[in-house]
Amino acid sequence: RHINSHVLRADNRIQNGQGNAGNITIIASSENNFKGVYDGLNINEGPSSGVTSAVDFGTLGSAGDIAIKAASLFMNNKAQLNATSQGKGKAGEVFINIGNILQVNNSDISTASTQSSGGAIKIIAKDIRLFDDGDVSTNIINGTAGGGNINLTANTIVALDDSDIFSFSRDGQGGVITFITSVFFCTP
């Protein structure tokens, strides 16, 4: 099946109240393209495309997990793939299994929590490419809980042009970042 849309956002969000956001699973036999911000006239305006499982501020609950399995995944121009909690629950986890290339160009793969523990990110791909501020991150904005672990497994991992891989916790310990690869290349 094909979905052709200028803006596609799979968004599973809990607002005001109590409850966990749901899990999101995408299984595709071919490549996936998340093309970020597009309004039909100016590619830098409008809502961003991507996948989000989130709990909003003031809600008691945890974000759901996101799982993607595809031949290739290309994220461009501020596309988002994130599992976040702005409430009292933990961030969700992100699992990505790509048969060929994962390319993140000026886009983000992230988990974040404002008040609890961070979700892990696990990526398996033949090759991982981060370009032009393409980031993979886990973040705890407030509190002493630990940031989520990041595990990247690929033949090659390349991070260029201000792209980052980081796990942060403001008052606690950041998560463990693990690379399982033959080649890692980055620029400062």
Side-chain angles (χ1 to χ4, degrees):
R1 306 241 188 253
H2 296 280
I3 299 174
N4 187 3
S5 173
H6 289 296
V7 176
L8 173 62
R9 178 144 203 98
D11 195 339
N12 192 338
R13 182 177 305 272
I14 298 295
Q15 298 174 318
N16 300 324
Q18 183 173 349
N20 295 331
N23 297 331
I24 298 173
T25 301
I26 297 172
I27 300 173
S29 59
S30 61
E31 76 179 39
N32 281 320
N33 289 287
F34 297 150
K35 295 188 179 181
V37 181
Y38 181 78
D39 73 354
L41 299 173
N42 183 343
I43 199 153
N44 292 313
E45 296 177 11
S48 177
S49 67
V51 179
T52 299
S53 181
V55 174
D56 286 344
F57 183 77
T59 302
L60 180 61
S62 296
D65 297 335
I66 297 172
I68 296 179
K69 182 175 182 179
S72 294
L73 176 59
F74 298 93
M75 297 176 61
N76 295 293
N77 201 38
K78 300 181 183 176
Q80 302 289 315
L81 198 160
N82 53 49
T84 62
S85 174
Q86 294 180 347
K88 296 187 186 264
K90 69 178 190 67
E93 298 189 349
V94 174
F95 307 98
I96 300 173
N97 189 337
I98 304 297
N100 292 310
I101 187 168
L102 168 65
Q103 183 169 307
V104 181
N105 184 10
N106 190 23
S107 298
D108 297 307
I109 298 171
S110 64
T111 66
S113 175
T114 58
Q115 302 176 42
S116 187
S117 61
I121 297 175
K122 182 176 183 180
I123 300 173
I124 299 171
K126 182 177 176 187
D127 297 299
I128 298 172
R129 305 282 183 259
L130 307 176
F131 299 121
D132 191 26
D133 198 26
D135 297 332
V136 176
S137 64
T138 63
N139 191 359
I140 305 303
I141 297 164
N142 192 13
T144 59
N149 295 335
I150 298 174
N151 186 313
L152 304 180
T153 302
N155 292 336
T156 61
I157 301 172
V158 175
L160 303 175
D161 304 321
D162 197 30
S163 295
D164 298 305
I165 302 165
F166 66 91
S167 179
F168 173 80
S169 179
R170 189 182 100 185
D171 299 319
Q173 182 174 342
V176 175
I177 299 174
T178 304
F179 296 158
I180 301 172
T181 185
S182 299
V183 177
F184 176 69
F185 181 76
C186 69
T187 58

